[in-house]
Amino acid sequence: MRDVKRVAILISGRGSNMRALVEQSDGYEVALVASNKPDAAGLEWAQARGLQTWALESKGLSKEKFDRQMSAAIEAHDAGTIALAGFMRILSPWFVAQWRGRIVNIHPSLLPKYRGLDTHARAIAAGDAVSGCSVHVVTEELDAGELLGQAEVPIEPGDTTATLEQRVLAAEHALYPKVLSEFVRR
Ligand code: GRF
């Protein structure tokens, strides 16, 4: 039975946002950490913490075939909310419809600025004084659903994409657990 306070976190890589969501969980429980990359570093960390994990290599599978299997795994763990945390794969319209209004994502820019990839390089190239991160509801349109929360971060003179990424990541780790906690209560 889907329970909105049971969260499935989807990752593809190191999973630093997933770790922040686990360590600062408040009002929700992490039911599953799932990945489309069986070697994602974050999976090992989650297993070591005693969390349930699921992984399936997505390469070579059709989008919907992968998404149907992932959806079944999420259901099997009674999760009712899905948090994307560096999940580097666009979800199929089928999956988004199946979980409509119950999927959230963190994006490293102040949306609606810089949807998609390379946000830090684009913010620096534009000469912006401020960047940040946004948590939003996932819809069929990339990085475009309802905004749930944002945090601003200054861009310092001499910032590179690496230094800006670090500063924004620290803001992501503070923002995401807070917003997810509010989202599961509403
Ligand atoms: C973060 O910058 C997040 O905003 C973006 O992908 C990156 C994931 O990093 N969606 P991590 O795997 O959480 O460390």
Side-chain angles (χ1 to χ4, degrees):
M1 256 254 285
R2 287 184 188 181
D3 174 350
V4 297
K5 294 191 160 40
R6 289 177 59 78
V7 178
I9 305 178
L10 311 191
I11 64 169
S12 297
R14 67 191 165 196
S16 72
N17 277 286
M18 176 274 293
R19 296 202 297 272
L21 290 175
V22 169
E23 284 168 343
Q24 298 172 57
S25 71
D26 174 19
Y28 61 86
E29 194 184 331
V30 177
L32 181 68
V33 177
S35 184
N36 64 322
K37 294 286 156 207
D39 59 355
L43 285 175
E44 225 175 286
W45 182 90
Q47 279 157 7
R49 296 276 301 212
L51 294 167
Q52 296 290 309
T53 62
W54 175 91
L56 176 66
E57 174 58 61
S58 56
K59 213 187 290 168
L61 284 183
S62 78
K63 212 171 260 315
E64 197 171 313
K65 200 162 192 177
F66 175 86
D67 283 0
R68 281 185 184 271
Q69 296 205 40
M70 183 166 69
S71 187
I74 295 168
E75 298 241 25
H77 288 83
D78 301 324
T81 299
I82 298 173
L84 309 187
F87 187 66
M88 300 305 286
R89 190 176 158 88
I90 293 175
L91 295 164
S92 61
W94 175 84
F95 189 93
V96 175
Q98 189 72 11
W99 294 92
R100 183 161 313 283
R102 298 306 327 161
I103 314 171
V104 298
N105 180 43
I106 187 145
H107 183 76
S109 78
L110 294 174
L111 290 171
K113 267 194 155 178
Y114 311 128
R115 291 174 178 157
L117 297 174
D118 302 323
T119 56
H120 305 307
R122 287 153 73 197
I124 290 170
D128 294 353
V130 174
S131 186
C133 50
S134 308
V135 179
H136 65 94
V137 175
V138 171
T139 60
E140 282 81 356
E141 202 185 333
L142 185 67
D143 302 327
E146 180 196 352
L147 275 173
L148 299 171
Q150 290 186 311
E152 288 192 0
V153 165
I155 300 181
E156 311 283 2
D159 256 343
T160 61
T161 55
T163 57
L164 180 57
E165 182 190 16
Q166 283 314 309
R167 199 175 307 119
V168 173
L169 267 177
E172 292 179 32
H173 301 160
L175 178 72
Y176 207 0
K178 188 167 77 76
V179 173
L180 184 59
S181 168
E182 286 162 8
F183 182 72
V184 299
R185 283 175 226 262
R186 76 178 196 180

